[in-house]
């Protein structure tokens, strides 16, 4: 928990800014060959997604991030699945600021 102290004309007051843990999933849509390039180095892919997430959310502490390709598997007959293609990132983070993506 983070505490904020405010000065008033009377005694000092403390407000508790509650820290919560959240989970969210984001899919970056791209073609499968671009997804392959990004995922070639998974550690760098995680870092890039975390940096983008932190930039959007401003005040967060990342606790877990996982990335994986989605929609790029071929079916048995060689056709692609009809679904969004790209990279899915699953984030677990803590924040005192709840903000929708």
């Amino acid at each position: 928990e983070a505490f904020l102290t405010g000065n008033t004309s009377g005694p000092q007051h403390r407000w508790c800014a509650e820290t919560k843990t959240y989970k969210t999933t984001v899919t970056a849509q791209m073609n499968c060959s671009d997804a392959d390039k990004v995922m070639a180095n998974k550690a760098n892919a995680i870092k890039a997604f975390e940096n983008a997430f932190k930039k959007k959310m401003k005040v967060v502490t990342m606790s877990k991030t996982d990335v994986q390709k989605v929609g790029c598997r071929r079916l048995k007959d060689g056709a692609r699945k009809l679904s969004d293609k790209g990279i899915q990132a699953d984030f677990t983070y803590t924040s005192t600021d709840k903000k929708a993506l």
Side-chain angles (χ1 to χ4, degrees), residues 50-67:
E50 283 183 347
N51 288 340
F53 188 81
K54 287 181 199 177
K55 186 175 179 179
K56 175 75 174 173
M57 295 296 288
K58 306 272 189 263
V59 186
V60 296
T61 301
M62 306 304 295
S63 56
K64 182 179 178 186
T65 302
D66 187 41
V67 294

Side-chain angles (χ1 to χ4, degrees), residues 25-42 45-46 49 66-72 84-91:
T25 298
V26 175
T27 301
Q29 294 183 353
M30 63 186 77
N31 65 45
C32 294
S33 61
D34 287 343
D36 287 338
K37 291 175 189 173
V38 172
M39 293 296 291
N41 185 326
K42 190 171 182 175
I46 288 172
F49 273 83
D66 187 41
V67 294
Q68 62 185 343
K69 289 189 300 182
V70 292
C72 291
D84 290 337
K85 295 178 278 189
I87 297 176
Q88 176 180 303
D90 299 310
F91 299 103

